[in-house]
Amino acid sequence: MQYHMTTTSSNAKTGPIPVTTTSRASCPDSCPFRNQGCYAESGPLRLHWDKVTQGRRGGSLQDLTAAIRRLPRRGLWRHNQAGDLPGTGDHIDRSELRAITRANKGRRGFTYTHKPPAFGDNLASIKEANDGGFTANVSAEREDTADKLRAAGLPVVLTVSGSESRRTWQTAAGNTVVACPAQYRDEVTCATCQLCANRTRKSVVAFTLHGTGKAKAEKAREALK
């Protein structure tokens, strides 16, 4: 697995925080957006991701954890603007995730994963990371799935249609869904919002589909109903 850290992101929505990229092999086979409209598969990010995947940028897990430890105490950083948790396909490599979690101690790292919690010991690995202070948000494409993940005690994000205009609503199980503020307010970024970095929050954070592959992603999401 190849890892790369950008110490200051130039992404307008992320804001100027450190972000990482992990090679494509980390992406789960079960992700509905794999080769089906993934936002990271277009523009400059795709070119960067290609180079990381090819080993032309970045380095080993040890290089990554060393870079994390150099970050300021209490510093906010996002793992994986492209890529997923360590481990090939649907599997989470627990030892590698533990190494990232340990390196993050005293810092505020957060990420998102499409790795299925029901696969192998993924659920235990994700819970262990969150309990250790590294916020791993689990992604869902359906509200009923989000409710089940919340019931399991996990921080959850929900992918919704690009046409969704609600800012907040309730799921059938009574969970509050909050639309990502950075997607509809120009002055808000991950650096200023920090909602997704809060692993103990009660709300589900919703993200509307976006990017040049949006239409393809919409079809992939609709196919899950």
Side-chain angles (χ1 to χ4, degrees):
M1 205 68 64
Q2 192 82 354
Y3 301 92
H4 178 274
M5 177 177 282
T6 302
T7 54
T8 305
S9 173
S10 60
N11 185 299
K13 293 303 181 185
T14 303
I17 61 173
V19 298
T20 68
T21 304
T22 303
S23 51
R24 278 185 178 81
S26 64
C27 288
D29 300 323
S30 59
C31 177
F33 306 119
R34 183 165 182 164
N35 301 318
Q36 294 293 328
C38 172
Y39 76 94
E41 287 286 8
S42 61
L45 180 53
R46 174 172 183 165
L47 298 176
H48 171 63
W49 198 14
D50 284 344
K51 291 178 180 178
V52 174
T53 299
Q54 295 160 5
R56 297 164 59 196
R57 286 183 182 171
S60 66
L61 175 68
Q62 290 71 28
D63 293 324
L64 173 67
T65 55
I68 295 170
R69 290 190 178 96
R70 288 194 294 269
L71 296 176
R73 302 290 289 181
R74 300 297 301 159
L76 182 75
W77 65 282
R78 174 179 169 178
H79 186 42
N80 289 336
Q81 60 176 338
D84 210 298
L85 294 177
T88 302
D90 288 348
H91 168 69
I92 294 175
D93 187 315
R94 197 167 187 175
S95 65
E96 292 201 5
L97 182 54
R98 280 175 174 167
I100 293 170
T101 302
R102 286 195 298 267
N104 177 67
K105 186 175 181 180
R107 296 156 187 86
R108 293 181 296 147
F110 70 101
T111 193
Y112 309 91
T113 182
H114 265 104
K115 302 266 192 183
F119 185 91
D121 64 351
N122 283 1
L123 178 60
S125 297
I126 294 169
K127 283 188 172 182
E128 184 177 73
N130 279 287
D131 289 344
F134 179 56
T135 305
N137 293 279
V138 182
S139 299
E141 282 67 53
R142 295 166 48 109
E143 287 190 15
D144 57 346
T145 303
D147 284 335
K148 291 176 183 176
L149 294 170
R150 279 293 304 132
L154 298 171
V156 181
V157 295
L158 176 67
T159 303
V160 297
S161 171
S163 62
E164 178 59 69
S165 60
R166 290 176 294 178
R167 300 296 184 240
T168 183
W169 66 95
Q170 300 287 315
T171 67
N175 287 304
T176 299
V177 182
V178 178
C180 167
Q183 286 198 314
Y184 63 90
R185 292 172 56 188
D186 291 340
E187 75 277 13
V188 178
T189 66
C190 293
T192 60
C193 174
Q194 303 182 21
L195 182 60
C196 291
N198 180 4
R199 62 187 177 281
T200 62
R201 70 177 188 275
K202 302 300 182 183
S203 60
V204 174
V205 181
F207 292 91
T208 56
L209 292 171
H210 57 284
T212 59
K214 175 182 170 181
K216 186 182 289 187
E218 291 277 10
K219 289 182 180 179
R221 180 179 171 276
E222 286 296 317
L224 298 174
K225 292 183 177 181

